[in-house]
Amino acid sequence: MNTPTTTVTGAVHSFDLSTGVDGPGTRFVAFLAGCPLRCQYCHSPDTWLRRNGTPTTTDQLLNEIGKYERFIKVAGGGVTLSGGEPLQQPAFTRQVLRRCHERGLHTALDTSGYLGDHADDTLLDATDLVLLDIKSFDPATYRNLTRTGSVGPTLRFARRLSALGKPMWIRFVLVPGLTDAPANVEALAGFVASLNAVQRVEVLPFHRLGAHKYTVLGLDFPLAHVSPPDADAVERARAVFRARGITTY
């Protein structure tokens, strides 16, 4: 006789439905609370701390997902765990992904990869797609941008996913004067081109849409003085990846 799985409790900040942004199709996206990084361009500082999330069991989250299950299946979508950083809650993330997988739902993990070592084989087996946000390839730029840590764990995680043949969407935020140095973009494109199973790269222009959240939290927005890159700059960066034969948006 199978022993019922004990439900795990996590900290969930919020959830939403999205289309074409957080993986293929229409998706139920759960934003988990807690992140070890403090990226200067972060548009969700309200997800940095676990205490800002609501204690939620996997049963409770699966019940919420169930309300939309038929719709997201028909729409060719699935479930995405985002953050914050979902790998800061590996047991909760693992169980949610596994149970969604058992229900025939496509699963995606949206992560910086900084805590990639927290993702064991069971968690990755239940993950159909990894949305991997590589902040910068240059180590000094990475430290300056994230205000903590090293890019090493993210690159190690990317290589592990590549070895497993795990489908990836690579995301890179283009910030004028911070991540847009040609050498940084070229180096990142070369690294991505060396990986297996990268389905696409998304070069995302920096924006200031989350600046008001810093005001609410009594924080200074570090990039308040930075303007978004113009369309030509974004296309030049995308062209670097396309030149390596990578599908890029």
Side-chain angles (χ1 to χ4, degrees):
M1 183 176 67
N2 294 328
T3 302
T5 302
T6 301
T7 190
V8 177
T9 299
V12 177
H13 177 270
S14 56
F15 55 83
D16 200 358
L17 291 179
S18 74
T19 300
V21 177
D22 301 285
T26 299
R27 308 190 70 81
F28 181 99
V29 185
F31 300 93
L32 308 193
C35 183
L37 305 181
R38 295 294 180 266
C39 298
Q40 292 192 49
Y41 58 61
C42 181
H43 60 271
S44 299
D46 47 332
T47 67
W48 285 348
L49 304 177
R50 284 193 65 171
R51 67 169 179 261
N52 290 340
T54 300
T56 305
T57 67
T58 51
D59 286 345
Q60 290 172 325
L61 186 57
L62 265 292
N63 286 340
E64 196 64 41
I65 292 169
K67 298 176 184 178
Y68 308 92
E69 183 172 353
R70 184 175 180 276
F71 171 69
I72 58 181
K73 282 182 176 178
V74 170
V79 174
T80 299
L81 294 189
S82 187
E85 172 52 68
L87 292 181
Q88 196 169 73
Q89 303 182 51
F92 182 73
T93 295
R94 181 190 309 113
Q95 191 173 91
V96 172
L97 292 173
R98 181 179 59 78
R99 290 181 60 182
C100 287
H101 217 244
E102 289 171 351
R103 289 163 69 157
L105 289 163
H106 181 278
T107 57
L109 173 68
D110 185 1
T111 176
S112 72
Y114 182 68
L115 299 178
D117 289 345
H118 290 191
D120 61 16
D121 290 344
T122 301
L123 188 155
L124 292 180
D125 284 346
T127 304
D128 294 309
L129 173 68
V130 177
L131 310 175
L132 183 60
D133 183 6
I134 303 182
K135 313 291 183 180
S136 167
F137 190 81
D138 176 68
T141 302
Y142 183 94
R143 285 192 300 272
N144 181 34
L145 172 63
T146 65
R147 296 180 285 189
T148 183
S150 162
V151 69
T154 295
L155 303 184
R156 183 168 64 245
F157 185 54
R159 293 188 187 101
R160 181 181 166 206
L161 295 172
S162 176
L164 292 170
K166 185 65 63 177
M168 287 179 270
W169 289 8
I170 304 295
R171 290 170 162 178
F172 171 62
V173 179
L174 193 71
V175 186
L178 187 57
T179 67
D180 64 341
N184 185 42
V185 179
E186 288 279 359
L188 179 56
F191 174 74
V192 172
S194 74
L195 302 174
N196 297 313
V198 173
Q199 296 181 338
R200 65 198 285 179
V201 168
E202 297 178 346
V203 176
L204 306 173
F206 158 74
H207 60 73
R208 294 181 296 203
L209 297 180
H212 68 283
K213 295 182 181 179
Y214 288 79
T215 302
V216 171
L217 294 171
L219 301 172
D220 292 328
F221 181 45
L223 300 182
H225 61 290
V226 177
S227 297
D230 60 36
D232 288 344
V234 176
E235 282 306 309
R236 284 195 299 272
R238 289 171 176 161
V240 173
F241 290 90
R242 290 177 182 140
R244 302 272 186 166
I246 304 166
T247 300
T248 305
Y249 297 91

